[in-house]
């Protein structure tokens, strides 16, 4: 047998193993609200090839490829346990088991590692929480996709309605079409049908009522059977407490804004300050995509090295508030054609850092350039540290942060020398450290942080909504503190 034959046979064997994992992952998700992860990447509803690629990606961050032959035994062990709602990272299980020298069986080690999700410790599944989307633009449609994807057993977040201004002929059909197909993020994973007579979109069995209203005061959500809902305002029309309070109508309990909040509205970056949200807080903001991209690595660097001062330069994809061709715009430069120009503009991300990281004493300045790409941006974070270090030390530290820390869902790490912006479309992390571009000299560190300013940010929004709704399930093994 040739080397090529050996390689192909090995691939076919791994395909067979990955194929056997799919029904186990699906059953855990549907019946027990257990999301199976691999180094913080969900394996739910993934294809055979996607599962194998996710295992191979571990090579870039952990130094060696993770094999499905290593993780399958842990997945099989999980199916034998009485698990409650949780997120379980089989990549971390495999890594911590390899480092454990007690000689435990895979079954015994797994039971111990996820004990917090079993028996008397497990969370009982509730009725789920209603969610309403106010607005249905770029972020609204991606949040809708994520909510539908995460519906699972139906006991988590449930997208019940979308509120939009009245449109023209076949309005609901056109909105459903935009949900079904996206020029950047591809096809919706599933089926979508429309009931025009009842103004309802059915997406993977989820009935989503389309409500037409020009103002929040026009809607009584209880009339649609919606109660105790979390409303996600993705219009950005109202950004202070007074404006957002208009959404607190019958049937709505909390309001989450997908833009930086003004005044005393808490700006929340999940992974950094989400645990500061008071249980009785009804209005909060998820800050901006750029704030979510820079705050987690900024916190990580400050925790380890101390940050004395910094500057962030964001090279940002163009957005819907810019013009396709030169035309009037209330902002000074955004009236110039977005797909034809680099456009210097302002960013509030640097000033927003103080809201998310009040303990950070360093002054952070910022500026932004919009460039002719439709999605994925990069933040260049230039920091003066409180102590000198080396490039190797910072790389090892950030790699570890991306794998084992409480920020591992926010910070990703890539070593590929040929990575470019489009490679990060669909990333679920708030930011991705580009190892090859990192620069360190003495007490100065320059981090290059990629981020999908649409999808990655939408994932952060969903995490905040899960947290405030009480359906943010614990992750096992627990990340290192």
């Amino acid at each position: 047998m040739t080397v090529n034959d050996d390689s192909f046979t090995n691939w076919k064997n791994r395909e067979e193993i990955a194929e056997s994992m799919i029904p186990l992952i699906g059953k855990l998700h549907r019946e027990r609200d257990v999301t199976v992860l691999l180094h913080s990447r969900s394996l739910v509803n993934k294809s055979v090839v996607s599962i194998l690629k996710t295992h191979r990606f571990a090579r870039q961050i952990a130094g060696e490829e993770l094999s499905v032959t290593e993780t399958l035994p842990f997945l099989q062990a999980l199916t034998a346990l009485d698990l409650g709602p949780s997120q379980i990272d089989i990549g971390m299980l495999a890594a911590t088991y390899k480092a454990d020298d007690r000689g435990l069986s895979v079954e015994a080690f797994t039971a111990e590692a996820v004990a917090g999700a079993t028996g008397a410790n497990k969370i009982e599944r509730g009725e789920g929480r209603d969610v309403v989307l106010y607005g249905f633009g770029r972020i609204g449609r991606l949040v809708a996709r994520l909510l539908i994807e995460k519906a699972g057993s139906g006991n988590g977040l449930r997208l019940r309605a979308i509120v939009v201004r009245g449109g023209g002929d076949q309005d609901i059909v056109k909105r459903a079409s935009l949900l079904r197909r996206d020029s950047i993020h591809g096809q919706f994973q599933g089926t979508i049908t429309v009931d025009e007579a009842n103004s309802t979109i059915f997406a993977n069995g989820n009935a989503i009522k389309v409500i037409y209203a020009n103002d929040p005061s026009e809607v009584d959500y209880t009339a649609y059977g919606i109660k105790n809902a979390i409303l996600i305002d993705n219009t950005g029309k109202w950004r202070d407490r007074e404006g957002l309070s208009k959404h607190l109508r019958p049937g709505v309990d909390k309001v989450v804004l997908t833009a930086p909040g003004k005044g005393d509205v808490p700006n929340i970056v999940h992974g950094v300050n989400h645990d500061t949200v008071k249980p009785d807080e009804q209005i909060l903001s998820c800050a901006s995509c750029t704030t979510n991209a820079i705050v987690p690595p900024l916190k990580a660097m400050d925790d380890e090295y101390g940050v004395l001062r910094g500057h962030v330069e964001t090279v940002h994809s163009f957005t819907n508030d810019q013009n396709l061709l030169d035309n009037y715009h209330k902002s000074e430069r955004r009236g110039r054609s977005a797909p034809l120009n680099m456009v210097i503009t302002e960013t509030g991300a640097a000033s927003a850092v103080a809201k998310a990281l009040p303990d950070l004493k360093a002054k952070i300045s910022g500026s932004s350039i919009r460039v002719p790409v439709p999605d994925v941006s990069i933040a260049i974070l230039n920091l003066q540290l409180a102590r000198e270090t080396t490039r190797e030390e910072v790389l090892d530290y950030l790699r570890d942060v991306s794998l084992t820390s409480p920020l591992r869902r926010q910070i990703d790490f890539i070593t590929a020398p040929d990575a470019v912006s489009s490679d990060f479309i669909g990333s679920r992390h708030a930011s991705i450290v580009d190892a090859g571009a990192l620069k360190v000299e003495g007490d100065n560190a320059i981090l290059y942080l990629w981020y999908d300013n649409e999808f990655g940010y939408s994932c952060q929004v969903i995490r905040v909504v899960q947290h405030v709704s009480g359906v943010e399930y614990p992750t096992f093994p627990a990340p290192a503190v």
Side-chain angles (χ1 to χ4, degrees):
M1 183 177 287
T2 67
V3 172
N4 287 341
D5 289 336
D6 283 341
S7 177
F8 185 67
T9 300
N10 178 263
W11 170 260
K12 300 299 287 185
N13 288 338
R14 287 188 292 147
E15 271 191 323
E16 184 177 0
I17 293 171
E19 194 170 58
S20 72
M21 297 172 83
I22 291 174
L24 303 181
I25 294 166
K27 189 173 183 179
L28 285 168
H29 186 58
R30 286 191 309 275
E31 297 182 2
R32 307 189 200 177
D33 275 347
V34 173
T35 300
V36 177
L37 309 173
L38 188 90
H39 286 313
S40 300
R41 289 165 167 76
S42 174
L43 296 182
V44 176
N45 292 328
K46 293 297 186 289
S47 67
V48 167
V49 172
S50 291
I51 290 173
L52 292 174
K53 285 181 68 176
T54 305
H55 278 74
R56 181 163 175 75
F57 184 80
R59 175 178 59 87
Q60 292 196 43
I61 51 179
E64 59 182 355
E65 184 171 344
L66 186 62
S67 172
V68 286
T69 60
E70 295 177 77
T71 57
L72 177 62
F74 294 96
L75 182 59
Q76 292 170 327
L78 290 173
T79 62
L81 297 173
D82 180 25
L83 291 167
S86 55
Q87 299 186 102
I88 300 178
D89 195 318
I90 57 175
M92 285 299 298
L93 279 174
T96 51
Y97 179 70
K98 189 179 294 186
D100 191 87
D101 59 2
R102 293 175 295 165
L104 297 176
S105 66
V106 166
E107 291 76 14
F109 181 85
T110 302
E112 179 184 272
V114 303
T118 60
N121 296 321
K122 72 178 183 180
I123 299 171
E124 293 302 325
R125 291 189 290 176
E127 295 183 356
R129 190 71 176 269
D130 290 351
V131 178
V132 173
L133 288 176
Y134 198 95
F136 205 46
R138 298 297 304 156
I139 299 302
R141 292 194 295 275
L142 291 177
V143 167
R145 286 188 174 200
L146 287 164
L147 287 168
I148 295 162
E149 171 195 299
K150 294 178 181 298
S153 65
N155 294 302
L157 299 175
R158 302 179 300 190
L159 177 56
R160 297 292 308 280
I162 297 162
V163 184
V164 293
R165 287 176 295 185
D169 187 43
Q170 288 195 308
D171 180 272
I172 190 172
V173 173
K174 293 174 181 176
R175 294 186 189 277
S177 179
L178 286 170
L179 179 62
R180 185 181 292 114
R181 302 178 184 89
D182 190 280
S183 300
I184 297 170
H185 301 282
Q187 297 273 352
F188 173 79
Q189 297 301 303
T191 62
I192 293 175
T193 57
V194 176
D195 181 349
E196 286 189 82
N198 292 297
S199 293
T200 302
I201 296 173
F202 292 92
N204 290 357
N206 294 267
I208 307 163
K209 187 74 174 180
V210 178
I211 302 170
Y212 294 98
N214 293 316
D215 189 82
S217 63
E218 299 177 10
V219 188
D220 178 354
Y221 294 97
T222 59
Y224 303 95
I226 296 169
K227 60 181 181 179
N228 197 33
I230 296 176
L231 182 144
I232 304 174
D233 183 330
N234 57 95
T235 67
K237 183 176 180 180
W238 304 278
R239 292 172 57 186
D240 60 12
R241 187 173 295 275
E242 181 182 1
L244 292 168
S245 293
K246 295 180 180 181
H247 291 303
L248 295 173
R249 306 280 299 152
V252 172
D253 181 56
K254 293 181 185 293
V255 179
V256 174
L257 171 66
T258 64
K262 295 183 176 180
D264 67 341
V265 174
N267 280 254
I268 304 303
V269 174
H270 191 276
V272 175
N273 67 338
H274 66 277
D275 55 355
T276 65
V277 179
K278 297 176 182 176
D280 60 349
E281 178 61 75
Q282 290 187 287
I283 295 173
L284 53 92
S285 156
C286 291
S288 71
C289 56
T290 301
T291 303
N292 276 266
I294 66 173
V295 165
L298 185 56
K299 173 177 168 50
M301 292 299 288
D302 188 51
D303 286 347
E304 179 66 18
Y305 301 102
V307 174
L308 301 181
R309 70 170 68 88
H311 176 81
V312 59
E313 185 78 37
T314 68
V315 182
H316 200 292
S317 58
F318 64 79
T319 61
N320 198 45
D321 77 327
Q322 293 174 256
N323 292 335
L324 286 175
L325 294 171
D326 290 5
N327 211 336
Y328 173 80
H329 195 290
K330 63 182 180 180
S331 295
E332 290 184 341
R333 304 190 201 223
R334 295 194 190 190
R336 302 299 298 277
S337 173
L340 296 178
N341 293 288
M342 294 190 291
V343 179
I344 297 174
T345 187
E346 70 283 346
T347 176
S351 59
V353 168
K355 283 192 171 185
L357 277 177
D359 293 336
L360 181 71
K361 304 305 179 187
K363 176 177 173 54
I364 306 294
S365 60
S367 51
S368 178
I369 303 172
R370 297 288 179 91
V371 294
V373 294
D375 187 30
V376 179
S377 305
I378 189 167
I380 305 166
L381 192 57
N382 192 330
L383 304 175
Q384 182 186 352
L385 307 177
R387 68 175 174 88
E388 293 192 354
T389 182
T390 65
R391 185 173 185 274
E392 291 70 26
E393 182 188 343
V394 174
L395 280 176
D396 287 344
Y397 170 65
L398 291 175
R399 181 188 290 109
D400 189 58
V401 165
S402 74
L403 286 171
T404 64
S405 83
L407 291 170
R408 64 187 184 184
R409 296 172 72 192
Q410 283 69 43
I411 300 176
D412 203 0
F413 187 91
I414 187 165
T415 59
D418 53 354
V420 294
S421 61
S422 61
D423 296 327
F424 304 101
I425 292 174
S427 169
R428 294 178 181 240
H429 289 78
S431 63
I432 306 102
V433 176
D434 191 312
L438 177 75
K439 292 175 172 55
V440 178
E441 185 174 344
D443 63 354
N444 177 240
I446 304 175
L447 280 61
Y448 287 73
L449 308 165
W450 298 101
Y451 59 108
D452 184 330
N453 48 277
E454 292 188 334
F455 195 74
Y457 175 68
S458 296
C459 290
Q460 282 287 88
V461 171
I462 289 293
R463 290 170 191 139
V464 170
V465 173
Q466 287 177 317
H467 176 72
V468 300
S469 68
V471 296
E472 182 183 36
Y473 302 138
T475 301
F476 299 95
V481 178

